[in-house]
Amino acid sequence: PSPRNPLAIPSSVVPASADIYVVPITSHHIDNNNFCHKDKYGYIDLGNIRIKSNFYSCDKKSGEPYTSEDLKSIPGGYKLLAQPKLLFSVNFQDRRQVEDLLNVGQTKSVKFQITEDGVCHAMAGWFTLHLDQHQQLSTAPQEKSCWQQAIFPVLSPPTQTKVYKNASEVTATFKIHKHVQFETFESRLLPSSSHAVDGNGCDSRWKEDLQEIELPPSTLRYLNCPKIEQIYQWLAYYASRDVACQNILDLTGDIPLLCTQFAKTSPTSKFTLKVDTSKDRDKVRCLLDFLTAVAKQNGLPIGNFSCITDDLSESGNGASEEQFNLCLVNPVQSSGRLDQTVLLGLQQTLSCLVPNSGLVLPHKLQLWAQLIQSDQLCEWTHLRSNQPVDGFRIADQLNILAVTHQQELKYSTLDKKALCEPVHMREVDLTKLELTRHFVSQKVKITESGTAHAIIYWFVIDFGWNLHLSTLESEAYSQAAVMCKHRQVNKDDSIEISAQMEEGLLYLHLR
């Protein structure tokens, strides 16, 4: 008996305990989220600038010192560089141990003998839950579970993270205190190794004392996308050749990748950048650090760049009284959906352009859609079985809360079957956007028999000059989907997909 359990009723905690495992991995996708290895970006020289993620410096404020990925479906795949090792175990029935991890914490180091050549881009982690003495649940990447794996990016220079099969040893240190926090990474060549130590076989630029700047992972994905780089370079060339570029307004809120291209092709241009200091000061700091470093490296006159912090419509804002030759916007979010804020503000944006000649870039969007069958998407979005649980049927009630509009999907890795060819649903003209309710329907021919589960969609962004960016083909963008009522379809059937737009929002359904 105790004050909390005066009748001494036997009890237990479920799960009873957990084992946490970690392993070094290499992944091109994770590397793209955390480093930029380019020496040039279009016309811009980046050779003396080291660019890496601000993941840890920003994440100290949020309390979650890791991200997560579904490794079995990560774009480009991944590779284990060693065998997974047990980091620590916790007994949830031992109150003293749990309180110690919450209040005091402990530091653990794990050594790995490298079994594959590569660059260690991250430490991956997962757990095994012991529900009782017999049943356990693992979240390892090879298991079919709903959990993703924890990703701890390794932000050491590649000169320190290049490892060799049977010739390298890695030591990773973690602090277990409320969360599992990644502390340090060390790699060394074994005494018997014949590999060169100088530079460890990596790019020599990482050995120099260069200027280092940090950017958000989402920004690094844009910076590392070759399709965006190519389009921005050609866009700066064509626009500088064909239209006036004296005064350019950048409302994207991100680092001025396109503006710096214009600064090379049109050196006398003036640039006004919109920044939001009220929501994300770290992002603004990163923007200014990038701009300052690029301007210094490329001899760009920093005085040609200025910033505004308010909406264009607010009184007292000098930018609202100016007129711009070009206005740069980003109407599609990286998650795959339209940016409603951008679309709702387009009318005010257009009013700032030079009459009859000012351009908004991009100036048009194409909406593309495809009907798919995907059991994986169904399992992610709702409870599929309505079998009784302890005598109660719960699926009907739980599915009332199911979210039908899914974002941040990767078409390339989604387990699916395409039931029809991609269909061009409609065009969205950003120069005269209709915000009132508008419907458009397209008939499609079924090419594969199956069950229609969802309509996945993406955009083709039209910049003019025959420059198009498909968000389906860019690593910087995800795709989105709208779940539909399940419908059996047969090959050669005809079915109608309808798109509804209103106030910058998009919805798709079958008719």
Side-chain angles (χ1 to χ4, degrees):
S2 68
R4 293 191 178 187
N5 189 9
L7 301 180
I9 299 174
S11 61
S12 61
V13 177
V14 178
S17 61
D19 300 324
I20 287 76
Y21 297 87
V22 291
V23 64
I25 65 171
T26 183
S27 164
H28 174 73
H29 174 76
I30 294 174
D31 186 40
N32 270 354
N33 287 345
N34 293 288
F35 285 102
C36 175
H37 302 289
K38 296 176 182 285
D39 287 321
K40 288 184 70 68
Y41 187 87
Y43 298 113
I44 295 299
D45 179 16
L46 299 176
N48 291 322
I49 306 172
R50 280 202 299 255
I51 304 175
K52 70 175 186 177
S53 167
N54 68 346
F55 179 80
Y56 290 115
S57 60
C58 283
D59 212 64
K60 293 176 181 177
K61 303 174 183 178
S62 70
E64 292 187 358
Y66 52 84
T67 183
S68 64
E69 295 280 358
D70 184 6
L71 288 178
K72 61 180 176 291
S73 61
I74 195 170
Y78 74 101
K79 182 170 66 174
L80 300 183
L81 297 175
Q83 292 299 312
K85 291 280 190 77
L86 177 67
L87 177 62
F88 75 102
S89 297
V90 55
N91 181 1
F92 295 122
Q93 301 187 94
D94 185 337
R95 181 177 173 181
R96 181 172 296 179
Q97 182 187 14
V98 173
E99 288 180 345
D100 181 65
L101 291 175
L102 290 174
N103 299 325
V104 180
Q106 55 184 267
T107 299
K108 296 277 189 178
S109 294
V110 187
K111 288 187 177 182
F112 299 88
Q113 301 299 317
I114 297 301
T115 57
E116 296 286 348
D117 291 339
V119 176
C120 181
H121 296 130
M123 300 296 297
W126 57 83
F127 55 83
T128 296
L129 295 177
H130 300 278
L131 306 180
D132 54 30
Q133 293 181 345
H134 307 288
Q135 302 295 324
Q136 65 181 34
L137 179 65
S138 173
T139 65
Q142 68 272 16
E143 302 292 337
K144 292 184 177 180
S145 75
C146 61
W147 276 283
Q148 297 183 335
Q149 289 72 49
I151 301 297
F152 304 89
V154 176
L155 299 184
S156 305
T159 51
Q160 300 174 20
T161 56
K162 176 73 174 176
V163 293
Y164 301 94
K165 179 179 179 179
N166 300 328
S168 298
E169 181 182 76
V170 162
T171 302
T173 303
F174 294 83
K175 177 69 177 293
I176 299 98
H177 183 209
K178 298 181 181 178
H179 289 286
V180 179
Q181 305 173 42
F182 179 55
E183 296 275 295
T184 61
F185 176 92
E186 294 181 8
S187 172
R188 73 179 187 92
L189 292 173
L190 299 176
S192 58
S193 170
S194 61
H195 291 278
V197 176
D198 184 25
N200 210 7
C202 292
D203 188 347
S204 61
R205 65 183 289 197
W206 290 92
K207 296 188 296 184
E208 302 170 7
D209 186 19
L210 306 179
Q211 181 176 1
E212 184 173 279
I213 61 174
E214 296 184 347
L215 299 175
S218 59
T219 300
L220 281 166
R221 286 194 292 273
Y222 277 90
L223 191 58
N224 283 317
C225 177
K227 294 183 181 296
I228 294 178
E229 177 184 1
Q230 184 181 36
I231 286 174
Y232 281 3
Q233 184 174 9
W234 278 110
L235 183 58
Y237 169 77
Y238 286 130
S240 299
R241 182 194 67 180
D242 298 339
V243 299
C245 297
Q246 292 95 333
N247 209 4
I248 300 176
L249 175 63
D250 186 341
L251 296 178
T252 61
D254 217 323
I255 62 172
L257 291 175
L258 184 50
C259 282
T260 51
Q261 300 300 303
F262 276 113
K264 295 291 284 188
T265 58
S266 180
T268 60
S269 295
K270 303 292 185 181
F271 304 92
T272 302
L273 313 179
K274 170 72 185 308
V275 296
D276 191 346
T277 57
S278 64
K279 292 183 179 179
D280 195 342
R281 289 182 177 272
D282 282 318
K283 189 173 183 179
V284 175
R285 177 184 55 79
C286 291
L287 182 154
L288 296 177
D289 287 347
F290 175 84
L291 178 60
T292 303
V294 167
K296 179 180 178 181
Q297 173 72 16
N298 292 271
L300 305 179
I302 194 67
N304 286 354
F305 293 83
S306 60
C307 295
I308 57 173
T309 58
D310 299 325
D311 291 335
L312 296 175
S313 58
E314 293 190 13
S315 60
N317 188 348
S320 64
E321 302 172 0
E322 289 189 64
Q323 291 187 323
F324 299 91
N325 305 106
L326 297 177
C327 180
L328 314 178
V329 296
N330 194 356
V332 181
Q333 295 180 347
S334 61
S335 63
R337 62 169 290 175
L338 289 171
D339 192 320
Q340 186 186 24
T341 302
V342 171
L343 298 182
L344 292 179
L346 270 178
Q347 192 60 42
Q348 181 65 35
T349 300
L350 295 173
S351 69
C352 297
L353 295 175
V354 175
N356 303 320
S357 64
L359 299 178
V360 59
L361 297 176
H363 71 96
K364 190 182 294 182
L365 300 175
Q366 298 175 12
L367 169 63
W368 288 77
Q370 187 176 47
L371 190 63
I372 62 170
Q373 173 182 307
S374 176
D375 291 328
Q376 183 183 48
L377 202 50
C378 290
E379 291 171 359
W380 288 348
T381 56
H382 60 275
L383 189 60
R384 305 188 72 184
S385 173
N386 202 23
Q387 292 297 314
V389 178
D390 287 339
F392 295 95
R393 296 185 183 275
I394 62 175
D396 291 342
Q397 296 303 311
L398 286 178
N399 288 338
I400 293 175
L401 305 176
V403 177
T404 59
H405 200 158
Q406 299 295 313
Q407 304 173 56
E408 297 188 333
L409 304 174
K410 285 297 183 182
Y411 183 96
S412 59
T413 59
L414 181 67
D415 187 6
K416 66 189 179 303
K417 179 170 74 170
L419 301 179
C420 68
E421 295 296 326
V423 57
H424 180 195
M425 293 298 300
R426 62 163 296 177
E427 292 192 347
V428 181
D429 190 343
L430 301 181
T431 64
K432 44 184 177 182
L433 182 65
E434 295 181 18
L435 294 175
T436 56
R437 184 176 300 177
H438 182 76
F439 293 89
V440 63
S441 297
Q442 297 288 350
K443 284 189 176 182
V444 297
K445 182 179 180 180
I446 300 300
T447 56
E448 292 284 346
S449 299
T451 303
H453 291 146
I455 305 168
I456 194 165
Y457 70 90
W458 60 92
F459 298 92
V460 174
I461 305 174
D462 189 346
F463 292 90
W465 293 281
N466 201 31
L467 297 174
H468 301 90
L469 174 67
S470 171
T471 62
L472 181 65
E473 299 173 354
S474 170
E475 296 179 2
Y477 288 93
S478 299
Q479 290 72 57
V482 179
M483 305 301 296
C484 56
K485 188 175 181 179
H486 296 182
R487 183 188 300 187
Q488 189 67 32
V489 295
N490 299 311
K491 186 176 181 180
D492 296 328
D493 284 353
S494 182
I495 198 168
E496 197 168 325
I497 300 177
S498 180
Q500 174 186 344
M501 281 194 66
E502 182 178 3
E503 297 295 322
L505 297 175
L506 172 67
Y507 184 72
L508 296 161
H509 63 277
L510 296 179
R511 296 185 65 179

